[in-house]
Amino acid sequence: MIATVAFAFSGGVAVHARILRSELVAACPVIFALLILIGIGRRASVARPLGMAVAAALCALGLENKVQVILLIGALPVLVLPFGSTESASVPFWRHARIAWPAAIIAAVAATAAAWAAWPLIATGFDRALIEAAQFRPLLLGRFGIYQAALIVLIGACMTAYAVIWRVSAAETVASMSAIAAGALVALLALNIEYNTGNVIAVFNPLEKMLTFADAETAAAAGGSGLSGILWLLLDGVASVLARYTFVLHTSPRPTVFLIWLIVPGIISAWLRGERQAAIQALVLLLAATGIDALGVRRGLKSEYFIFTDPLIILAGAILLDSFADLRFHQWTYPVAVVLFGLHIAVGQAEPVKYALMRRGPEPICEWNRHYLPLLPLPWCPATRP
């Protein structure tokens, strides 16, 4: 409940409550997928592979709305690893070979059928001629499809590691892998509803699509300036994000910055108190948020992008708060909470107030409307008036 309220009043939601952008539509399904994976991972059930199929479908739907969400999707396999429990071990159904393996085979057949249905989209998405016509540049080694294959390997490796750590049976692991493939592939079929070759290529090559909007320095690094150039940009992005998190070195219209002030010492305190799993969970979430924000710096880390990482920071805070149940009786809890609430309201509403007091009209939208929304002309733009 606390995490829900904090997210509802976060900077990312505050911005998207006043402007219409696709980041909210893309981020929410992936965040829901993360919560589903955490929930079904902590307590085993017969239908757990079905839950994973739903999570994979939500991720694919989010990607179809905004390719930037690929960064959050890529972090999910690692994020879920520390969220197991003693109740994560497979239920008897998945430990009985005579019934578990037939169920796993059925899941594999479903994944194969989904792959057959989605194959035309896959072929189009990786068609070299179409990709080059879209003026995409390969991200790694002059070839397309490398990081996509690496992401599939990462998902498989993390699922295998999760199975070993939390005692998930081989049959359930295979069924879950097949369910994830089936869910994602079925969700990709939504591209056929309003088919557009450019959309298909962008979904299957999200990082290349993002590079078309990157600044000159990032484009040069990705275009072959060398590994050192890419690492330097990443370090520069991390430094910029850490400066923003301090708020003192770089002010930011982001209320969750002040939550980080509590999360960092909270992780240290939880570790020293013996709450090792809670500390690791919060640390992994915070590191993922930092990494995604560091990449977002290359596009200015606009307030619209907070919707991708605010939920991770808030979830980390909620986990630590749950592990410090006795904290509410401390003498400094109430005054510190009042100060943080005040800062949250003042800083969190700064951007919305700025937008509300702007004297300009809707005309600036006309600068990008025809390029980004060719099928949605706006009546007040001169070029689109009848």
Short mmCIF file of all heavy atoms in Angstrom, two decimals, residues 32-41 45-58 172 175-176 179-180 183:
data_model
loop_
_atom_site.label_atom_id
_atom_site.label_comp_id
_atom_site.label_asym_id
_atom_site.label_seq_id
_atom_site.Cartn_x
_atom_site.Cartn_y
_atom_site.Cartn_z
N PHE A 32 4.25 -3.82 -13.99
CA PHE A 32 3.30 -4.85 -13.58
C PHE A 32 3.92 -6.24 -13.76
O PHE A 32 3.73 -7.13 -12.91
CB PHE A 32 2.01 -4.77 -14.41
CG PHE A 32 1.21 -3.51 -14.16
CD1 PHE A 32 0.32 -3.05 -15.11
CD2 PHE A 32 1.36 -2.80 -12.99
CE1 PHE A 32 -0.42 -1.89 -14.90
CE2 PHE A 32 0.63 -1.63 -12.76
CZ PHE A 32 -0.26 -1.18 -13.72
N ALA A 33 4.67 -6.42 -14.84
CA ALA A 33 5.34 -7.70 -15.07
C ALA A 33 6.34 -7.99 -13.95
O ALA A 33 6.44 -9.13 -13.47
CB ALA A 33 6.05 -7.69 -16.43
N LEU A 34 7.09 -6.97 -13.53
CA LEU A 34 8.05 -7.15 -12.44
C LEU A 34 7.33 -7.57 -11.16
O LEU A 34 7.78 -8.50 -10.46
CB LEU A 34 8.83 -5.86 -12.21
CG LEU A 34 9.74 -5.82 -10.98
CD1 LEU A 34 10.81 -6.90 -11.07
CD2 LEU A 34 10.38 -4.44 -10.81
N LEU A 35 6.23 -6.92 -10.85
CA LEU A 35 5.48 -7.26 -9.63
C LEU A 35 4.92 -8.68 -9.72
O LEU A 35 4.90 -9.41 -8.72
CB LEU A 35 4.37 -6.24 -9.41
CG LEU A 35 4.82 -4.81 -9.17
CD1 LEU A 35 3.62 -3.88 -9.00
CD2 LEU A 35 5.73 -4.72 -7.94
N ILE A 36 4.45 -9.06 -10.91
CA ILE A 36 3.95 -10.43 -11.09
C ILE A 36 5.07 -11.44 -10.86
O ILE A 36 4.89 -12.45 -10.17
CB ILE A 36 3.34 -10.60 -12.50
CG1 ILE A 36 2.04 -9.82 -12.61
CG2 ILE A 36 3.10 -12.08 -12.82
CD1 ILE A 36 1.47 -9.78 -14.01
N LEU A 37 6.24 -11.17 -11.45
CA LEU A 37 7.37 -12.10 -11.31
C LEU A 37 7.81 -12.21 -9.85
O LEU A 37 8.15 -13.31 -9.38
CB LEU A 37 8.53 -11.63 -12.18
CG LEU A 37 8.30 -11.74 -13.69
CD1 LEU A 37 9.46 -11.09 -14.45
CD2 LEU A 37 8.13 -13.19 -14.12
N ILE A 38 7.82 -11.09 -9.14
CA ILE A 38 8.20 -11.14 -7.71
C ILE A 38 7.17 -11.95 -6.93
O ILE A 38 7.52 -12.79 -6.09
CB ILE A 38 8.33 -9.72 -7.16
CG1 ILE A 38 9.55 -9.01 -7.76
CG2 ILE A 38 8.45 -9.75 -5.63
CD1 ILE A 38 9.68 -7.56 -7.35
N GLY A 39 5.89 -11.70 -7.22
CA GLY A 39 4.83 -12.40 -6.49
C GLY A 39 4.84 -13.91 -6.71
O GLY A 39 4.80 -14.69 -5.75
N ILE A 40 4.91 -14.32 -7.98
CA ILE A 40 4.88 -15.76 -8.26
C ILE A 40 6.21 -16.42 -7.93
O ILE A 40 6.27 -17.64 -7.75
CB ILE A 40 4.50 -16.04 -9.72
CG1 ILE A 40 5.55 -15.47 -10.68
CG2 ILE A 40 3.13 -15.49 -10.03
CD1 ILE A 40 5.25 -15.75 -12.15
N GLY A 41 7.27 -15.62 -7.86
CA GLY A 41 8.56 -16.19 -7.50
C GLY A 41 8.69 -16.48 -6.02
O GLY A 41 9.38 -17.42 -5.62
N SER A 45 3.49 -22.34 -7.26
CA SER A 45 2.15 -22.85 -7.56
C SER A 45 2.21 -23.66 -8.85
O SER A 45 3.17 -23.57 -9.60
CB SER A 45 1.13 -21.70 -7.69
OG SER A 45 1.42 -20.93 -8.84
N VAL A 46 1.15 -24.40 -9.11
CA VAL A 46 1.10 -25.20 -10.33
C VAL A 46 1.08 -24.29 -11.55
O VAL A 46 1.68 -24.59 -12.59
CB VAL A 46 -0.15 -26.11 -10.31
CG1 VAL A 46 -0.28 -26.85 -11.63
CG2 VAL A 46 -0.08 -27.10 -9.15
N ALA A 47 0.40 -23.14 -11.44
CA ALA A 47 0.20 -22.26 -12.58
C ALA A 47 1.30 -21.20 -12.71
O ALA A 47 1.11 -20.23 -13.46
CB ALA A 47 -1.16 -21.58 -12.48
N ARG A 48 2.42 -21.36 -12.03
CA ARG A 48 3.46 -20.34 -12.09
C ARG A 48 3.95 -20.08 -13.52
O ARG A 48 4.15 -18.91 -13.89
CB ARG A 48 4.62 -20.71 -11.18
CG ARG A 48 5.74 -19.69 -11.17
CD ARG A 48 6.61 -19.76 -9.93
NE ARG A 48 7.21 -21.06 -9.71
CZ ARG A 48 8.02 -21.35 -8.68
NH1 ARG A 48 8.31 -20.41 -7.80
NH2 ARG A 48 8.53 -22.56 -8.55
N PRO A 49 4.14 -21.08 -14.38
CA PRO A 49 4.54 -20.77 -15.76
C PRO A 49 3.55 -19.89 -16.51
O PRO A 49 3.94 -19.07 -17.34
CB PRO A 49 4.65 -22.16 -16.41
CG PRO A 49 4.98 -23.08 -15.27
CD PRO A 49 4.19 -22.54 -14.12
N LEU A 50 2.25 -20.02 -16.20
CA LEU A 50 1.25 -19.16 -16.84
C LEU A 50 1.44 -17.71 -16.42
O LEU A 50 1.29 -16.79 -17.23
CB LEU A 50 -0.16 -19.64 -16.50
CG LEU A 50 -0.58 -21.00 -17.06
CD1 LEU A 50 -1.99 -21.35 -16.60
CD2 LEU A 50 -0.50 -20.99 -18.59
N GLY A 51 1.77 -17.50 -15.16
CA GLY A 51 2.05 -16.15 -14.69
C GLY A 51 3.26 -15.55 -15.39
O GLY A 51 3.27 -14.35 -15.71
N MET A 52 4.25 -16.37 -15.66
CA MET A 52 5.43 -15.89 -16.37
C MET A 52 5.10 -15.56 -17.82
O MET A 52 5.65 -14.63 -18.41
CB MET A 52 6.55 -16.92 -16.29
CG MET A 52 6.94 -17.26 -14.86
SD MET A 52 8.40 -18.29 -14.72
CE MET A 52 9.70 -17.11 -15.06
N ALA A 53 4.18 -16.31 -18.41
CA ALA A 53 3.73 -16.00 -19.77
C ALA A 53 3.03 -14.65 -19.81
O ALA A 53 3.25 -13.85 -20.73
CB ALA A 53 2.79 -17.10 -20.28
N VAL A 54 2.21 -14.37 -18.80
CA VAL A 54 1.53 -13.07 -18.73
C VAL A 54 2.55 -11.95 -18.57
O VAL A 54 2.46 -10.89 -19.23
CB VAL A 54 0.53 -13.06 -17.56
CG1 VAL A 54 -0.04 -11.65 -17.35
CG2 VAL A 54 -0.60 -14.04 -17.80
N ALA A 55 3.56 -12.15 -17.72
CA ALA A 55 4.60 -11.14 -17.53
C ALA A 55 5.36 -10.87 -18.82
O ALA A 55 5.64 -9.71 -19.17
CB ALA A 55 5.55 -11.58 -16.43
N ALA A 56 5.69 -11.94 -19.56
CA ALA A 56 6.40 -11.77 -20.82
C ALA A 56 5.54 -11.02 -21.84
O ALA A 56 6.04 -10.17 -22.59
CB ALA A 56 6.81 -13.13 -21.38
N ALA A 57 4.26 -11.32 -21.88
CA ALA A 57 3.36 -10.63 -22.80
C ALA A 57 3.27 -9.14 -22.47
O ALA A 57 3.26 -8.29 -23.35
CB ALA A 57 1.96 -11.27 -22.76
N LEU A 58 3.22 -8.82 -21.18
CA LEU A 58 3.18 -7.41 -20.77
C LEU A 58 4.45 -6.68 -21.19
O LEU A 58 4.40 -5.52 -21.63
CB LEU A 58 2.99 -7.32 -19.26
CG LEU A 58 1.61 -7.70 -18.72
CD1 LEU A 58 1.62 -7.75 -17.20
CD2 LEU A 58 0.55 -6.72 -19.20
N GLU A 172 9.66 -27.71 -14.44
CA GLU A 172 9.01 -26.40 -14.32
C GLU A 172 9.84 -25.31 -14.97
O GLU A 172 9.30 -24.37 -15.57
CB GLU A 172 8.75 -26.05 -12.85
CG GLU A 172 7.97 -24.75 -12.71
CD GLU A 172 7.69 -24.36 -11.28
OE1 GLU A 172 8.12 -25.09 -10.37
OE2 GLU A 172 7.07 -23.30 -11.06
N ALA A 175 9.25 -25.57 -18.67
CA ALA A 175 7.90 -25.09 -18.96
C ALA A 175 7.81 -23.57 -18.85
O ALA A 175 7.15 -22.91 -19.66
CB ALA A 175 6.90 -25.75 -18.00
N SER A 176 8.51 -23.01 -17.87
CA SER A 176 8.50 -21.56 -17.69
C SER A 176 9.20 -20.85 -18.84
O SER A 176 8.74 -19.80 -19.32
CB SER A 176 9.16 -21.19 -16.36
OG SER A 176 8.45 -21.74 -15.27
N ALA A 179 6.86 -20.94 -21.67
CA ALA A 179 5.74 -20.03 -21.43
C ALA A 179 6.14 -18.58 -21.69
O ALA A 179 5.36 -17.80 -22.26
CB ALA A 179 5.24 -20.19 -19.99
N ILE A 180 7.35 -18.21 -21.29
CA ILE A 180 7.83 -16.85 -21.54
C ILE A 180 7.92 -16.59 -23.04
O ILE A 180 7.50 -15.54 -23.54
CB ILE A 180 9.20 -16.63 -20.86
CG1 ILE A 180 9.01 -16.48 -19.36
CG2 ILE A 180 9.91 -15.42 -21.43
CD1 ILE A 180 10.30 -16.33 -18.60
N GLY A 183 4.33 -16.32 -24.46
CA GLY A 183 3.67 -15.07 -24.08
C GLY A 183 4.19 -13.88 -24.86
O GLY A 183 3.41 -13.05 -25.35
#
